[in-house]
Each structure stands twice: as structure tokens, then as C-alpha cells.
Amino acid sequence: MPTLEQLEKINSLALGVLNMSRNSLLVNMRFMDTALGRLMFAPMGSEKTSTDGEYFYYDPMYILRSYRREKEFPGRQYLHAIFHCIYRHMFIGTLVNERYWNLACDIAVENSINGLELDTVRISAVPLQNSAIQKLSGRVKYITAEMLYRYFLDNEPSESYLSALEKLFCIDDHEVWYRKDERQGAPSHSNKPQPNNNGEGESQPDQNGKNNQNGGGQDNENNDENNGNGQSQKELEQLWKDVSEYIQTALETLEQKRGTQAGGLTQNLLEVNREKYDYTAFLKKFAVMGEVMKINDDEFDYIFYTYGLQLYEKMPLIEPLEYKDVKRIREFVIAIDTSGSVSGELVQRFVQKTYNILKSSESFFSKINLHIIQCDAEIQEDVKITTQEEFDNYLKNMQLRGFGGTDFRPVFSYVNTLIKNHEFTNLKGLIYFTDGFGTFPERQPDYHTAFVYINDGYENPDVPVWAIKLVLQPEEI
């Protein structure tokens, strides 16, 4: 059993290794300076390292043994934890397959590190990792945690394959990501040190002489929203979001100047920093003002109404208005790209989701004029919907037609013809569901237009300046 003095010496040596590794990373990756200095070192009793977004937890003896075996390994573990934070892997909900998510995150992180080709963090497992990643690259478009996780869910891997991948890529512990409530005040973390500026930790005793994880004897309340160190999970997530966006901007600048090898890093940053869309709110932008028969409580004067009842006995002086202006979808076009590159299942899900949004929250007028147009390089079908019953019947019997090339112009020409023929009186919106690889019209139409892409990568083309571009994940439909 080592003495207290020996333990302090061991921890001091481990801290020296970690600080040296971090300084080496800072020298080689100046664009990541805001991230590399963010985590504070905290000695713990676990064999593997881990992070919760604020601390880098390590076992001093484990760090020293790792350094003796492979001097690049401690630095790689620290960089591995930093990438988890940059990609915000730990800020997740509870409804995930933990094993799949852990593995997907570790593969994405290790691939990013390998892509940097830094000698200071190159370990002996890199060739085997690259070989496994090469095989995965044939199954997923990009090696990101989100895409890998989706792949594992859709194609349940065998136990032997999972174990082999975990042995290659899982070099840290993610338990702290899922056990936030247990982590707060748990025995293994009750002596959590309060690090100083150089990352070293020193436990702070409270008024009773016991070590307090807050570092100041303060009562740690509201643990559900606080990570036990004075910062809430939302604050930590926002902090790393800012760091992540800063690094993405710095990488884009480097690419413009001299190119970069950080392909895996760039792909993951694009995924995690992409703008998230609320399709329900987006669709409501196409609503138009219209009059419906409904009591308008906002413009009803109760004073005159009750005064009339008192004065004339059951004879109100003023009646409530029986109509009001509300936003409803009256005239609308849904264009569906039925070229070979758009899958039928996604199309049906998109139409179903659009229908559900329109149907909910009084989105429809009692009479509507909705055209659902299928088109590849030419118009394949136009179905007119005037009632919810017709919409229901269309969804039940929907069949995709076409599967040729992609040309957006026929739809716009066709809709313009419908307008000239007075099929529409006040068309305000057209949503085009597509993969985006087609010919756009040269002129801006007289109605709002949006192109909705399904994100299977990051190569969706830009739309004309007059159109709205919306990128959704398959699970968002």
C-alpha cells in the first residue's frame, strides 16, 4: 500500500505527463487552442480515462503505465476526450442504445485523430483502426457518430464484430455521460478536486473538514440541472458549441490558405454544427390570411354585451363577431422528385408528415386547394386535393411514378400554367422534396418556394437566391 507521500509523487508525475502531452498538442494544433486548454485534470480511481465536458478524469498509475508502454498514448487519450467534447457526444438523451452510441462516438473520434496524422498521438493500433474504418466507409457515407449509430441500428452487428471494434476503438469510459444523477455526490466523485489554472487539482475542505466537490463548502442544490461543479449541462453544452464553431471557422480558413488533412474532423463538425430545423414552424410560414366562421373573442366587448343584458333583459346591446381572420393553408403545392435517387419510403414519410402538420392545429380551411405533383424530368402526375378525406384516400393509394432524371423546371412551368388558367387564386407556397441534383428555373416565381433535402451527406447543392433551402435528417421526417 503506497503512502500518502508516494501517492502525491505518483500524481505529480502523471500530471507532468498530461501537461507535456497537452502542450505538445497545442504546438501542433494551434487552431484548437480554445479546446485543448478547456478540460481540467482530476485524478480518479478508474482504470480508463473519461470526461464530462468539464473535467478530464484519470488514474495516475494508469497514465504512467500507459506512458511507459507507449509514450504517445496519454496524449491520444486527452485528445480523444477533447474530440468527444467538441462533437458534444456526452450531451445526449436517455433514449439511445448506449453500446452502439459509445462505439460510434469512439470510431468517429479515432478516425478524426488518425486523419490529422500527428506523430505525437500515433499509437500502434492505428493501422488496424484504419483497416476497420476502410471497411466501414463502404457502408456509411461519412464516418460520423450520427451516421455510424444509424448504421448500427439499421444493421444490427454480431457480438463478435462489436467486440472486435470495441477492442480497437474504445479507449475511454463513457459511464459518466449516462449516470449524471449518480455522478453527482457519488462516493467515487465526492472528493472531486477543484483544479487550478494549469489543470492540477487540489481538494478543498468544507467547514466540517470534509472534502467538498464544489471547492467552497457550498451546498450543491438543483443537481438535476447542475453537473456538480457550478455549471449546468446546458451551459457546458453551449460552451462546447461555441468552441466547436470556432474550430470549424478556423479549419475553413486553413483550407482556403493551404488545405488540411483534417477530413474526419471537418465532417464531424459539419454534422454537429449543422443548423437544426423545425419543419412544423417552417411549414407555417406558408400560411395565408383568410376568414372563417368563428367567434372572435379578441374583438368581443363584454362591457357592452353585459350592459345590454341588464338594460333590455336578455337582449344584448352588441353581439360577438362570428368570424375572425386566422392563418390557414388554403392553396399549396407539394412537388415530389421521383427520380431514381429519391427513395419511395422517404417520399411517403415526407408527404405523411406534411399532411399531419397541415391537418393539426386547424391548418386547413374547410375547403383547400392542394396539388401534389410528381415529377422527374417531366410531370408524371398531378393530384388535386380539396378535402381532408381526399388527402386520406391519396395517402392510402399513393404510388410513385417516373424514376428518370431530375429537372425542376417542368414543375414551375406547370404551376405557372395552372395559375394562368385560374386554378389558383392566391398561391403562396410550393415545397419541392428532392435530392437537389437537377436544373433550377432561371426566374423567380410569384410564390414562395422551398427545396427540402434529405441529408445523406453534406453535398446538397445551393438553391437559387429566391428559394429557401431546408435540410432534414431521415429521422426528422
Side-chain angles (χ1 to χ4, degrees):
M1 186 79 178
T3 64
L4 180 61
E5 183 179 354
Q6 289 173 327
L7 289 175
E8 290 177 350
K9 185 176 181 180
I10 290 171
N11 186 47
S12 178
L13 290 172
L15 275 175
V17 169
L18 290 174
N19 279 312
M20 179 179 65
S21 300
R22 180 166 60 183
N23 291 338
S24 177
L25 292 171
L26 281 166
V27 169
N28 288 279
M29 294 188 294
R30 296 302 303 171
F31 64 92
M32 285 185 58
D33 55 351
T34 56
L36 291 171
R38 186 69 61 179
L39 292 181
M40 297 177 285
F41 296 136
M44 299 297 292
S46 175
E47 266 297 300
K48 287 187 175 182
T49 59
S50 62
T51 183
D52 58 4
E54 188 168 7
Y55 288 91
F56 178 76
Y57 302 111
Y58 67 96
D59 177 74
M61 283 301 299
Y62 173 71
I63 292 297
L64 294 179
R65 291 193 188 103
S66 300
Y67 181 74
R68 184 172 60 180
R69 184 177 66 252
E70 241 180 316
K71 61 182 177 59
E72 297 83 5
F73 199 70
R76 190 176 184 97
Q77 288 183 299
Y78 183 73
L79 186 58
H80 185 103
I82 289 292
F83 273 124
H84 278 319
C85 297
I86 293 172
Y87 300 153
R88 306 196 288 284
H89 288 160
M90 66 281 297
F91 305 111
I92 52 176
T94 56
L95 300 178
V96 296
N97 184 309
E98 293 182 14
R99 188 177 186 187
Y100 288 171
W101 180 246
N102 288 341
L103 179 58
C105 292
D106 284 330
I107 293 175
V109 164
E110 290 295 285
N111 179 61
S112 298
I113 296 175
N114 293 344
L116 296 172
E117 297 185 357
L118 292 176
D119 291 336
T120 54
V121 290
R122 182 176 178 84
I123 58 177
S124 58
V126 167
L128 292 176
Q129 287 183 345
N130 287 338
S131 177
I133 290 170
Q134 185 66 31
K135 294 178 181 178
L136 284 170
S137 297
R139 303 168 187 172
V140 295
K141 190 165 186 177
Y142 293 110
I143 305 298
T144 66
E146 291 75 13
M147 288 192 175
L148 288 168
Y149 179 70
R150 195 178 306 134
Y151 170 76
F152 291 146
L153 288 177
D154 296 339
N155 306 273
E156 186 175 352
S158 65
E159 176 63 31
S160 59
Y161 183 57
L162 272 179
S163 299
L165 289 178
E166 288 170 341
K167 186 177 180 181
L168 269 179
F169 294 98
C170 299
I171 67 172
D172 64 344
D173 182 18
H174 303 163
E175 186 72 14
V176 70
W177 299 359
Y178 308 98
R179 307 291 183 257
K180 296 183 178 65
D181 293 337
E182 295 178 16
R183 184 175 81 247
Q184 295 154 1
S188 60
H189 287 252
S190 60
N191 292 329
K192 184 181 294 183
Q194 180 67 25
N196 56 32
N197 292 334
N198 66 359
E200 298 181 13
E202 187 174 326
S203 299
Q204 302 292 327
D206 62 16
Q207 294 176 353
N208 298 320
K210 297 180 180 180
N211 290 329
N212 187 288
Q213 68 180 13
N214 291 322
Q218 297 177 356
D219 188 20
N220 184 22
E221 298 179 350
N222 302 322
N223 277 345
D224 289 341
E225 297 182 358
N226 193 284
N227 66 358
N229 306 302
Q231 270 188 309
S232 69
Q233 291 296 307
K234 288 184 179 179
E235 290 173 335
L236 269 180
E237 185 173 5
Q238 183 60 47
L239 183 150
W240 283 109
K241 181 177 184 294
D242 294 340
V243 171
S244 181
E245 290 174 347
Y246 169 82
I247 293 173
Q248 184 177 351
T249 302
L251 273 177
E252 290 171 354
T253 303
L254 286 174
E255 287 175 349
Q256 292 175 358
K257 288 183 177 180
R258 55 181 175 80
T260 181
Q261 295 174 313
L265 174 57
T266 302
Q267 290 164 9
N268 280 272
L269 288 175
L270 285 170
E271 172 67 32
V272 74
N273 291 333
R274 76 176 181 91
E275 187 175 357
K276 305 299 190 296
Y277 297 99
D278 183 347
Y279 183 60
T280 302
F282 170 78
L283 188 58
K284 290 179 180 179
K285 292 181 180 179
F286 290 91
V288 295
M289 295 302 296
E291 186 179 274
V292 294
M293 296 302 295
K294 184 175 182 179
I295 293 178
N296 190 348
D297 296 325
D298 297 332
E299 298 182 17
F300 175 55
D301 194 326
Y302 286 95
I303 297 177
F304 282 101
Y305 183 80
T306 54
Y307 177 69
L309 290 176
Q310 293 175 0
L311 188 64
Y312 300 108
E313 295 184 1
K314 299 183 179 180
M315 178 66 68
L317 190 62
I318 185 172
E319 290 282 358
L321 294 175
E322 295 182 347
Y323 62 88
K324 67 182 294 186
D325 286 338
V326 294
K327 286 190 174 183
R328 299 282 180 89
I329 307 295
R330 173 178 284 166
E331 294 187 337
F332 201 74
V333 173
I334 299 175
I336 301 171
D337 177 6
T338 57
S339 64
S341 55
V342 178
S343 71
E345 181 185 357
L346 280 177
V347 168
Q348 290 179 325
R349 283 164 52 190
F350 171 74
V351 175
Q352 180 70 60
K353 183 177 181 70
T354 303
Y355 165 67
N356 291 339
I357 295 172
L358 295 175
K359 187 178 179 181
S360 65
S361 304
E362 298 182 326
S363 296
F364 279 138
F365 286 100
S366 58
K367 275 291 184 180
I368 62 171
N369 185 11
L370 174 67
H371 282 253
I372 302 178
I373 301 172
Q374 295 188 31
C375 180
D376 47 18
E378 58 185 26
I379 302 297
Q380 296 293 337
E381 181 185 70
D382 176 21
V383 176
K384 181 178 179 178
I385 306 292
T386 59
T387 65
Q388 292 186 8
E389 291 73 20
E390 291 178 359
F391 208 154
D392 290 332
N393 291 331
Y394 175 78
L395 289 174
K396 290 178 182 178
N397 304 298
M398 181 182 179
Q399 292 183 352
L400 297 182
R401 310 175 190 278
F403 307 106
T406 304
D407 191 342
F408 304 130
R409 294 173 296 181
V411 167
F412 289 91
S413 298
Y414 179 72
V415 171
N416 290 337
T417 301
L418 292 178
I419 294 175
K420 290 180 181 179
N421 295 336
H422 306 291
E423 175 62 30
F424 296 111
T425 58
N426 190 21
L427 177 62
K428 289 296 184 181
L430 183 152
I431 283 189
Y432 211 129
F433 181 75
T434 177
D435 66 350
F437 293 97
T439 306
F440 294 94
E442 296 180 357
R443 294 186 179 182
Q444 177 179 354
D446 296 329
Y447 41 85
H448 297 301
T449 304
F451 290 90
V452 177
Y453 300 153
I454 293 302
N455 183 26
D456 60 350
Y458 314 102
E459 298 175 356
N460 301 114
D462 292 331
V463 300
V465 293
W466 44 262
I468 301 171
K469 179 179 177 180
L470 188 71
V471 182
L472 299 177
Q473 296 287 357
E475 60 267 20
E476 293 173 340
I477 294 181

